[in-house]
Each structure stands twice: as structure tokens, then as C-alpha cells.
Amino acid sequence: MTVELGQISLLAALLTAFVLGLVPMIGTYTGNRRFMAVSTTAALIQCLLIIISFGILTSAFVIQDFSVEYVARNSNSLLPMHYRYSAVWSAHEGSLLLWELILAVWIAAVALFSKRLPEVFRARVLAVLGWISVGFLLFILLTSNPFGRLIPSAVEGLDLNPLLQDFGLIIHPPLLYMGYVGFSVAFAFAVAALLGGEVSRDWVRWSRPWTLVAWAFLTIGIALGSWWAYYELGWGGYWFWDPVENASFMPWLVGTALIHSQAVTEKRGAFGNWTLLLALSAFSLSLLGTFLVRSGVLTSVHAFASDPTRGVFILVYLAVVVGGSLTLYAARAPKMIQGGGFAGTSRESFLLLNNLVFAVMAAMVLTGTLYPLLIDALGAGKISVGPPYFGLLFTWLLVPLVLAVPFGIYSRWQQDSGSRLAGMLRWPFLLSLLVGGGVWFMQPELGFVSAAGVTGGAWVILGSLFYVAQLLKRKNSLRIPASVLAMTLAHAGLGVFLIGLSMVSTLSSEKHLRMEAGDKYQMADYTFEFLGTSIVQGPNYSADQGEFIIYKGDREITRLYPQKRQYAQRGNTMTEAAIDPGFTRDLYVSLGEPLDQNGRAWAVRVYHKPFIRWIWLGAIMIMSGGFLAAANKRYRRKMPAKDAVQTETKEVTV
Amino acid sequence: MTPTRKRRLIGVLVIIVGVSIAAIVAMQALNENMLFFVSPTDVEEQALPAGKRFRLGGLVADGTVSRASDSLAVTFVVTDGAYSVDVRFDGILPDLFREGQGIIAIGELRPGGHFEADEVLAKHDENYMPPEVADALEKAGHVESEL
């Protein structure tokens, strides 16, 4: 019976979302303050109802109610308790409910933390979010109800897909969705600004912390997905240019452009319309991503068995959101913020370059992702676009981007001189060349492109650090403004990421071997000795567990225990890689398959991955920069237009 | 022409040229890295050039997987019900690879007529069939109840 309550609660949430979309919006046009005030109550009630609904589905998993079809398909009586919680979002229906839950939480957060905004603007923002929620709730209720009963009830569940029985999957989807869905707030601010024909640029400042938080979540969500793929898929890759990865990467690219263009619009008023367009695009791309993943039109490692009606629904929803917002933009944008001018050498120009590169990157990924669909629709055959396409384009596009970062940091708004910048950036430039050259000299197999990548990473890091040092010297105090710290952290993260990426892409060694117990294999400075396998039992699987001793020279440094698991219920096999992680290198061993009858000989993957941790370390730094920037005190002050001008002169940076 | 107009005109021209170059480079990269999906029937009916990379998809025919005794080399037959193709692969097969399973092999045809794969993919989910494979099987008249 309780499960039906979950569904009733969802229906009630849909009604509340209608109220949230409609009543405050009417209030803004009639000037009825009581109508506008409904927005807070409706937002909080909606959030509560969806939490109840989500809680009921979770409890169905915890108590193993196999009369619920979704539970029966994705759980099993042997499933360990912590995976029963994450099993809730392991398949289509539940992950949509998670999407909606996170949307409701974002809406409630806006309702609670935006009390300082002008009444009308705030009511508009919440109403727009209400309509987004209506669309998603309809989608869940009409095409993907997680509360459907199974009659007769199943005795035993099918079990959770073993790939998803993992810590990474417990946290990856919620964080990713926090980012994805969080862009709906930036979207709603932009639409509200367009509806109100906002002439002042205050709304950009109000929307900045929300955008930064969403972007930071998306950053870490994507990084976690990459980390999960690395250790769980068992073949040592961290990014596959898979359509579903691209689906999350496109909003990130546009989001990155957006947080930079917001800075320009807030400080200087320039790029006003462009900022609006980016805010609309970031969320539209999030929705497109949801469509691509959920409709099953794409060939992807993430593709679940799919249902065409779902695809059609999201497509219609997407058309309404994108079409509606762009129409509004076309009608209103020409009357919006008119920006201040700027010279060719100025911070605006460098940020323009940033935006250009990120927009082009997003367009390239979009092209590579949608091109196969286009070709298929034209009946010209079924194709896929290989990773080299993306690799090539990103390598080239990163060149101007990375070169420009320190210039963007150092340059002044409106007008600067090239010789001043060149003078200030002389040392970071020479030092980074030295670093890149030095690393190349020590590791000749690095090659030119990767050596350039290391140089670029060092250039970004050193440029950022020199800026802080110079600021401290000039101010003669040890206090670094939070905004500078945030920016430095995020940019240094980019540098760390670049170095990791460059090192791992050329210095990695990978070997697929046939190994029998007692065999040894030498890779880099390490010797891998295979001792054989034994059988171990897990809660819902049994596994062949290999034992490897890793020597550096003659010294044993560690033992690795990769597993080949057999999950009883679904009857499928899973590779569990064993990794010895390190700051400068990972050692990675995974078992392929037994090659003879008595299980003595195994196919084995042995990898040596230098600096791979730097990729995720960089992402963590970038995320931290985002959160730190969002926490900046000036976003929490009530700021009439006059104060804003004063703050501008005080704040030195983006 | 006023100086402002002239500056704008130059700006617009620079953008057009830049976008065109970018588009050409992108299309070039796209075409070079495009892999066609091909079914065993296509291999039989079309004269596909040896040495051109593509994605071959179908079911692994029962009883055809055979392994070398001293290396990772493996051979199997991929079929769509109507025709089949011999595949050779030197490496580790994915966990979900087994006889009767839908797979995609990436590689090229060799002069002897066999397909030399450098990558073999099977999907995450055992109920899941790559859409292209499902499509190809349907075309070849092979009925799959579990789709």
C-alpha cells in the first residue's frame, strides 16, 4: 500500500508544481503580492512531497518489496544494504525520480536563499522553475512510473547490474545531476530577466553563485564518472568520448563559458546577450543530454533498453524549452543590457577568446555526437565517430585557450598594454618552458605534443601563482581575497589536469598477456609476478581471485588481488581490477579470462599509468575553485546599484 | 564607408573565414574518423575494400570460439542469421562476450576474407542488444524474442 502513497505523493507534487508555475506568474503581471508570495510555500511543499515519494521508493528497496516491478528488476535479497540505497537510481525510472528530487531541492534552495531579490524577479524565477518541474513530473508519471506493481509479485529480484554495485555509482549520479539540473537555476534567472526586460545587470550577479555551484558539482560529477570507468570497467581507460559522456561534457563546456562571461557582464556590462544565450544553452544541453541517454537513440555503453515513447516525450519537452526560450530571447534580447566598449588588449578580449574556444568545443562535441544520428536519419548508413576526432580537435583548441589563461588573469578591464603584460609574464613563461623542456629531456618518449601539454600546464600554474605572489607583494599583506584564491585554485587545477593528461597519454604502458602461475613480466621499473588464483566468496558473488606480487628491483612493494566475479542471480561475469595508486604512477592489474581447463593460465592486463591521479586531482581543484568562488561574501550582501560601483573598484579580479 | 563600418566589415570577414576554416577542419576530422556499421550480409553483398576500417556487428555463432594454446589469439564467427564472417582477434575479450551474444568488432577485412579485429565490444547489460545489431538481425530475418 505504501508504494501507492509514493505515486499519490508524486501526483500531488505535480499539482503543486502547476501552482508554482502559474500563481506567482499571474502575480507578477497583476502586481498581486499575495500571489507572488505563494512561490515560497509551493516550492517547499513540492520539495517535501518529492522527498516523501523518493523515500517511499527507497524503503521499497530496503525492505525488498519485490511486488514493485522496478525493485524486482534492480534488486535481490542478497544485495548488501548500502547498494539497496543506490539501486534506487540504478535504472531509468529511479534515476528520473532522482533528477526530479534534485530539481525540487534546487527550487527549494532558491526559495529559501533568494529572499533579498526583488519580489517580482524572484517570483518569476521560481515560476519558471515550477514549469520545468511540471514537464519532468509529467514525464515520470506518464512514461516512467517507478511505482508500478508486478502482479503476481516476484519471489526473488533480478539483482542490480553488478557494474553498478560499487561505491563510485553511489555518489556519481547524484553529484552529476546536481550539476546538470543546477543549470536550470541559471536558465530560470535568464528567462526571468528576459520576461522582465531587465535593463540593469544586477540579475547576473544574483545568478552567479547558483551557476558556480552547479558548475562545480558538474565538474566533480564528470570526474567521478571518469574515475569509476577507470577502475570498474577493467580496461584502464578514463574517458571514451562515449555519447553519454559527451552529453554531460557539453553542458560543462558551455557552463565554463558561462561563468566567465557572467564575470564580464557583471563587472563591465559587456557580453550581456551572450551571457543570456549561454545560460539558456547550458540547461538546454543538459536536457538534450537527458534525451540522448534516456531515449536510447545512441549507441553507448550507457544505453539501457529503451522505450520510444520516452524519447518522443523528451523531444517535445526539449522543443518547448529550447524553442520557447530562444523565441523569448529573440524578442527581448535586443532591448537588454548594452555593454561597455573595450580595447583589443583587455581582460574582456581574453575572456572573449575563452568563450569562443569553449563554445567551439561544445559545438564540435555536439557535431560528433549528433552526426551519426543525422546520417542514420538520412538513411546513409549507421556510423560512429571515433575518439581520434575529438582528440584531434581538442588538442588544437586547447592551444589558444591555455596560452590565453595567464593573460586573462593579469590583464586589466577595458584597456591594457601588450608590453606591460609581456613584462609581467616573462618569468612564468620562461620557467614553464624550462619545466616542459626538462620533463621532455628526462622522458624522451614524451614526444612533442605531450611536452607542449606539460609546458602549457606549467604555464597556467606558474602564471596563476606569480599573480598571487605579486598581489601579496603589492598589498604588503598576507590576506588573499577569496575571489583570487578561487580563481587561482581552479586555474591551477586546469594546469594539473593538463600535465596529468599529457603524461598519461604518452608515457603509459599497457600489455595484454597470457600468464600462468609463476610467470613474471617486467614493465617500466616494476616486475609483476603472478602467483595463481583462488576462489573467494562475496555476499552475492563468487570470484576467482588472482594474486600478484609487484617488485621494484628486488624489493617487494605491494601485492595486488584482482578478481573475476560471477554474480549468481544474473549469471554475469565482472572484472574487478586491482590498483596500486600513487601520486606519480598507478599500477593496474586485471584478469581477462581463464585460458585453459584447470585455470592455471589467465589472460591478464597489466598497466603502468604515470600521473593519472593528476587528472582527477585537477578536477577536484577546479571544483573547489568553483565552490570557493560561489561562497564569496559579496554575493550574500544586499546590493543596490550604487554600492555595486564601489565594490567594483575594490575587487581586483573576476 | 565610415571607419566604424569598415571595422565591422573586417570583423565579419574575419569571423566568416575563421568559421569556414574551422568547419572544414572539423568535417575533415569527422570523415577520417567515421566508422560505418556493417553486418555480415553487407560484407557478403557489397564489395568492401580490404584495409578499410569498420564496425562489424552480429551474434557470435555457437561453437565457433577457438583459442590458441600459447597466446591470446582467438577466432570466432559472427553471424546475422543469413551470412557469417570469420573474425580473428588478439587480445582480451570483454566480460559479456560469449556464444550467442550480440557483439561489435572494430577492425578491417583482410585479403584472405577474414575480419581482423583490434577491438571487441559487448555491452554492459546482458539484456541489451546494440541497436545496430538488433536492426541488422531483423533485416536478415533472424527473429529475436528477447529484444
Side-chain angles (χ1 to χ4, degrees), chain A residues 13-25 35 38-39 42 127 131 134:
Chain A
L14 176 64
L15 287 178
T16 321
F18 263 118
V19 173
L20 176 61
L22 209 56
V23 178
M25 196 59 100
F35 273 28
V38 166
S39 59
W131 286 115
V134 167

Side-chain angles (χ1 to χ4, degrees), chain A residues 123-191:
Chain A
R124 281 207 183 96
V125 169
L126 285 166
V128 172
L129 287 167
W131 286 115
I132 293 172
S133 180
V134 167
F136 233 79
L137 281 166
L138 277 175
F139 180 40
I140 296 177
L141 286 164
L142 295 179
T143 72
S144 321
N145 182 8
F147 296 106
R149 287 285 190 182
L150 196 61
I151 299 170
S153 157
V155 181
E156 179 57 289
L158 263 182
D159 204 0
L160 175 63
N161 185 342
L163 269 177
L164 309 182
Q165 296 187 22
D166 175 74
F167 172 73
L169 195 93
I170 299 181
I171 52 176
H172 162 60
L175 290 175
L176 190 69
Y177 282 8
M178 281 299 282
Y180 244 48
V181 181
F183 282 138
S184 65
V185 180
F187 174 87
F189 271 81
V191 172

Side-chain angles (χ1 to χ4, degrees), chain A residues 58-80:
Chain A
T58 308
S59 75
F61 271 95
V62 172
I63 64 168
Q64 312 261 13
D65 183 350
F66 295 133
S67 69
V68 179
E69 190 189 349
Y70 182 70
V71 179
R73 272 195 287 117
N74 297 294
S75 184
N76 178 273
S77 55
L78 294 175
L79 193 66

Side-chain angles (χ1 to χ4, degrees), chain B residues 2 35 43 66 68 71 74 91 96 98 100 104 115 120 124 142:
Chain B
T2 63
L35 291 177
V43 173
S66 112
S71 73
V74 58
L96 288 172
R98 61 183 78 118
I104 288 177
F115 184 82
V120 174
H124 275 186
H142 184 108

Side-chain angles (χ1 to χ4, degrees), chain A residues 241-469:
Chain A
W241 295 108
D242 177 278
V244 173
E245 290 170 340
N246 294 347
S248 67
F249 194 41
M250 287 186 280
W252 188 87
L253 290 169
V254 172
T256 310
L258 176 61
I259 56 175
H260 288 90
S261 107
Q262 280 180 336
V264 182
T265 310
E266 187 203 335
K267 300 288 185 190
R268 306 290 316 159
F271 306 178
N273 291 343
W274 175 242
T275 300
L276 278 166
L277 195 59
L278 285 176
L280 302 182
S281 315
F283 183 59
S284 301
L285 285 170
S286 298
L287 283 181
L288 179 73
T290 311
F291 164 70
L292 292 177
V293 180
R294 291 293 148 215
S295 63
V297 291
L298 289 175
T299 305
S300 148
V301 289
H302 293 68
F304 302 93
S306 55
D307 171 356
T309 56
R310 289 170 182 164
V312 172
F313 189 103
I314 309 187
L315 203 57
V316 171
Y317 183 49
L318 192 64
V320 171
V321 172
V322 177
S325 62
L326 285 184
T327 310
L328 184 67
Y329 175 80
R332 289 289 171 82
K335 299 190 197 79
M336 305 276 295
I337 322 164
Q338 294 305 319
F342 55 90
T345 310
S346 63
R347 182 173 278 178
E348 285 94 325
S349 298
F350 289 112
L351 288 173
L352 180 64
L353 180 69
N354 156 300
N355 269 248
L356 202 63
V357 172
F358 275 106
V360 171
M361 283 177 170
M364 293 295 168
V365 178
L366 189 68
T367 312
T369 310
L370 295 186
Y371 193 61
L373 289 183
L374 181 73
I375 294 292
D376 191 20
L378 295 174
K382 291 189 181 293
I383 62 154
S384 69
V385 176
Y389 160 77
F390 299 101
L392 179 74
L393 291 174
F394 269 76
T395 309
W396 282 107
L397 286 168
L398 275 170
V399 174
L401 185 74
V402 168
L403 272 179
V405 172
F407 285 103
I409 298 172
Y410 279 80
S411 56
R412 294 180 177 138
W413 291 112
Q414 207 160 7
Q415 169 110 48
D416 205 331
S417 86
S419 55
R420 189 188 81 92
L421 289 174
M424 292 173 76
L425 283 166
R426 200 172 49 219
W427 288 112
F429 185 73
L430 291 174
L431 271 177
S432 62
L433 280 181
L434 211 61
V435 171
V439 174
W440 195 8
F441 180 73
M442 287 187 295
Q443 302 280 350
E445 64 273 41
L446 195 62
F448 176 73
V449 175
S450 291
V454 173
T455 313
W459 161 241
V460 174
I461 297 172
L462 291 169
S464 303
L465 293 182
F466 269 68
Y467 180 75
V468 175

Side-chain angles (χ1 to χ4, degrees), chain A residues 312-653:
Chain A
V312 172
F313 189 103
I314 309 187
L315 203 57
V316 171
Y317 183 49
L318 192 64
V320 171
V321 172
V322 177
S325 62
L326 285 184
T327 310
L328 184 67
Y329 175 80
R332 289 289 171 82
K335 299 190 197 79
M336 305 276 295
I337 322 164
Q338 294 305 319
F342 55 90
T345 310
S346 63
R347 182 173 278 178
E348 285 94 325
S349 298
F350 289 112
L351 288 173
L352 180 64
L353 180 69
N354 156 300
N355 269 248
L356 202 63
V357 172
F358 275 106
V360 171
M361 283 177 170
M364 293 295 168
V365 178
L366 189 68
T367 312
T369 310
L370 295 186
Y371 193 61
L373 289 183
L374 181 73
I375 294 292
D376 191 20
L378 295 174
K382 291 189 181 293
I383 62 154
S384 69
V385 176
Y389 160 77
F390 299 101
L392 179 74
L393 291 174
F394 269 76
T395 309
W396 282 107
L397 286 168
L398 275 170
V399 174
L401 185 74
V402 168
L403 272 179
V405 172
F407 285 103
I409 298 172
Y410 279 80
S411 56
R412 294 180 177 138
W413 291 112
Q414 207 160 7
Q415 169 110 48
D416 205 331
S417 86
S419 55
R420 189 188 81 92
L421 289 174
M424 292 173 76
L425 283 166
R426 200 172 49 219
W427 288 112
F429 185 73
L430 291 174
L431 271 177
S432 62
L433 280 181
L434 211 61
V435 171
V439 174
W440 195 8
F441 180 73
M442 287 187 295
Q443 302 280 350
E445 64 273 41
L446 195 62
F448 176 73
V449 175
S450 291
V454 173
T455 313
W459 161 241
V460 174
I461 297 172
L462 291 169
S464 303
L465 293 182
F466 269 68
Y467 180 75
V468 175
Q470 175 238 56
L471 200 70
L472 291 178
K473 203 171 132 200
R474 199 175 64 210
K475 290 173 61 173
N476 214 356
S477 92
L478 280 177
R479 229 190 108 260
I480 310 170
S483 56
V484 176
L485 201 61
M487 175 183 75
T488 307
L489 194 57
H491 286 154
L494 171 69
V496 169
F497 168 82
L498 274 174
I499 292 175
L501 190 66
S502 309
M503 299 291 264
V504 82
S505 58
T506 45
L507 296 182
S508 292
S509 320
E510 313 191 346
K511 193 73 190 168
H512 295 182
L513 298 164
R514 178 194 165 90
M515 286 185 108
E516 290 188 27
D519 281 357
K520 286 185 180 178
Y521 184 75
Q522 168 98 27
M523 177 177 276
D525 301 335
Y526 304 93
T527 307
F528 296 74
E529 183 181 4
F530 181 44
L531 295 186
T533 59
S534 55
I535 308 275
V536 292
Q537 290 294 331
N540 50 352
Y541 60 86
S542 75
D544 289 308
Q545 178 170 284
E547 183 171 11
F548 289 81
I549 307 181
I550 318 297
Y551 300 96
K552 186 170 191 175
D554 294 328
R555 192 168 52 89
E556 175 182 334
I557 53 166
T558 188
R559 291 187 181 217
L560 293 175
Y561 301 93
Q563 292 183 346
K564 199 74 180 179
R565 293 181 181 171
Q566 300 285 341
Y567 283 81
Q569 190 62 23
R570 287 195 174 203
N572 46 12
T573 315
M574 265 286 308
T575 304
E576 197 72 17
I579 301 168
D580 179 44
F583 188 64
T584 58
R585 59 103 188 95
D586 272 19
L587 301 173
Y588 187 116
V589 177
S590 75
L591 291 177
E593 56 212 304
L595 295 175
D596 59 5
Q597 299 305 321
N598 51 26
R600 275 181 61 80
W602 281 79
V604 177
R605 291 182 167 88
V606 179
Y607 298 145
H608 172 243
K609 302 243 167 206
F611 290 87
I612 191 162
R613 299 277 143 184
W614 287 43
I615 290 176
W616 305 303
L617 177 67
I620 291 172
M621 290 166 71
I622 294 171
M623 169 204 73
S624 314
F627 281 125
L628 199 59
N632 198 329
K633 274 204 253 19
R634 75 203 167 92
Y635 296 130
R636 294 199 295 275
R637 281 199 296 269
K638 185 163 185 148
M639 217 171 322
K642 243 200 294 175
D643 290 4
V645 180
Q646 289 174 1
T647 338
E648 231 163 71
T649 49
K650 267 188 276 167
E651 292 282 345
V652 222
T653 55

